[in-house]
Amino acid sequence: MTSAAALGAALVLPAAARAQDMPSGPVKIVVGFPAGGGTDVLARLLGQKLGVMWNIPVIVENRAGAAGVIAAEQVARQPNDGNTLLMAHVNSHGIAPGLQPKLAYSVERDFTPIALVGKTPTILIGGANQPAKTLPELVQLCRAQPGKIVFGSAGSGSAQHLALEIFKARAGIDVLHVPYKGSAPLMNDLLGGHVQYCFEGMTTATPLLQSGKVIALAQTLQKRSGSQPNVPTVAEQGYPGFEASIWFGMVGPGKMPDAMVQRMNRDIDQVLAMADVQEKLAQVGAEDGGGGVQRFADFMKSEQQKYAKTIRDARIVAEG
């Protein structure tokens, strides 16, 4: 009788263990931006692949608003059963904690890091007719005309704005910052000559670079992106260690079961290594994803500290 019971336990326990590392039903990945953008494209790609691996439906839900903060607030309130995940973004999990004192969530308390999906550089671009064509020339120009060279951004407190502020501090320059309500109106004024330079995301900047309408002076990852191999980094042009990326990562509500988190991390790593996924990542300029859960947790913490200091030193306040 004892042997039969032991045999039964041996057969049942592995199945139970497997059940504990997977959500009980369909998984929803919430994205804090409209459909069609870079964050949404990556979430749908991951969702499709993970759905096949897990043999359960994985759907994407777009809850745009407040640069990803609205979606983050929603996911922070969900059960920690793995059925609701968030494609976190530098805005919601790197910048917002230092920018919004009354933020309704704590990244450390209310979220479980799962996996870094990728980083994309911002590109320092200028109008094709602007006088400074290289980063050293631009720094020299800004020092010769303090407070007069016009830099735009996609909004006060945006990732693009923070890249500018970090660079200003490192280079010791003073410029005139003009915030816009998004990249589209900023690009219009950059092409029209009303704005001279800006840091912009690769998705927006690449078509303009390919058309010759703008020039690229630098990119903001520590190593050159494979998508822009001919554009030197800020770091290699005299500012070692400089990085100001736009990044994406998978998180869940706080205190998810560790076995489930580790399983999801391993599976996302496998997806990121697939050839067709690598091709899609390259199209949006995303790289350096994957690695362990702790790597992502440490990265998010360092990003929050970096941006909190930049926001504090530059006295940036949230719009609205």
Side-chain angles (χ1 to χ4, degrees):
M1 193 72 176
T2 304
S3 297
L7 179 60
L11 294 172
V12 170
L13 282 175
R18 284 196 299 272
Q20 290 172 3
D21 70 7
M22 284 300 298
S24 59
V27 172
K28 177 170 63 179
I29 301 175
V30 181
V31 173
F33 300 90
T39 313
D40 176 74
V41 168
L42 293 180
R44 292 182 188 278
L45 183 63
L46 280 178
Q48 189 272 327
K49 298 291 188 181
L50 292 172
V52 173
M53 293 176 71
W54 295 344
N55 197 30
I56 56 176
V58 179
I59 62 172
V60 172
E61 177 183 289
N62 299 91
R63 287 187 63 86
V69 168
I70 290 174
E73 290 176 346
Q74 178 201 0
V75 174
R77 297 192 295 265
Q78 302 306 307
N80 62 353
D81 54 12
N83 292 109
T84 303
L85 305 176
L86 173 73
M87 183 65 93
H89 186 274
V90 59
N91 286 343
S92 60
H93 282 63
I95 295 172
L99 185 65
Q100 302 184 30
K102 297 181 180 180
L103 197 64
Y105 58 83
S106 160
V107 172
E108 291 79 10
R109 182 190 66 233
D110 297 324
F111 293 94
T112 300
I114 298 174
L116 178 64
V117 173
K119 307 175 188 176
T120 68
T122 54
I123 307 290
L124 173 55
I125 58 176
N129 296 322
Q130 292 304 322
K133 308 293 187 184
T134 68
L135 190 65
E137 289 176 356
L138 179 58
V139 171
Q140 186 177 17
L141 179 66
C142 291
R143 288 175 177 167
Q145 302 181 44
K148 294 183 179 179
I149 305 304
V150 182
F151 278 72
S153 80
S156 183
S158 65
Q160 295 92 327
H161 178 203
L162 270 293
L164 169 61
E165 293 296 342
I166 294 170
F167 182 66
K168 282 171 55 183
R170 286 292 303 273
I173 58 174
D174 179 27
V175 305
L176 177 59
H177 170 236
V178 180
Y180 285 76
K181 291 189 178 298
S183 294
L186 167 59
M187 291 303 104
N188 286 337
D189 274 9
L190 181 73
L191 296 176
H194 305 294
V195 169
Q196 293 167 275
Y197 299 92
C198 69
F199 286 87
E200 185 49 64
M202 183 174 285
T203 304
T204 301
T206 297
L208 298 174
L209 290 168
Q210 291 173 339
S211 69
K213 294 179 179 178
V214 302
I215 56 171
L217 289 76
Q219 56 178 302
T220 62
L221 289 179
Q222 293 194 49
K223 295 182 179 178
R224 295 189 188 194
S225 167
S227 301
Q228 294 287 349
N230 297 321
V231 179
T233 67
V234 174
E236 70 185 86
Q237 297 186 82
Y239 305 92
F242 186 97
E243 180 170 315
S245 61
I246 296 174
W247 51 263
F248 321 85
M250 195 70 75
V251 302
K255 299 180 180 178
M256 283 177 58
D258 185 63
M260 184 181 295
V261 173
Q262 296 299 332
R263 164 71 183 272
M264 289 183 170
N265 174 272
R266 291 192 301 269
D267 290 348
I268 290 173
D269 253 6
Q270 287 187 39
V271 170
L272 293 175
M274 294 177 180
D276 58 332
V277 176
Q278 286 281 316
E279 183 179 351
K280 180 62 72 172
L281 291 171
Q283 289 175 7
V284 298
E287 52 193 67
D288 201 24
V293 173
Q294 194 60 48
R295 181 205 181 204
F296 185 31
D298 292 344
F299 174 72
M300 281 201 293
K301 184 175 182 179
S302 68
E303 286 287 281
Q304 290 169 50
Q305 292 171 343
K306 175 179 72 177
Y307 286 120
K309 182 180 187 304
T310 301
I311 289 163
R312 183 174 59 251
D313 291 350
R315 300 180 182 179
I316 301 169
V317 296
E319 293 181 322

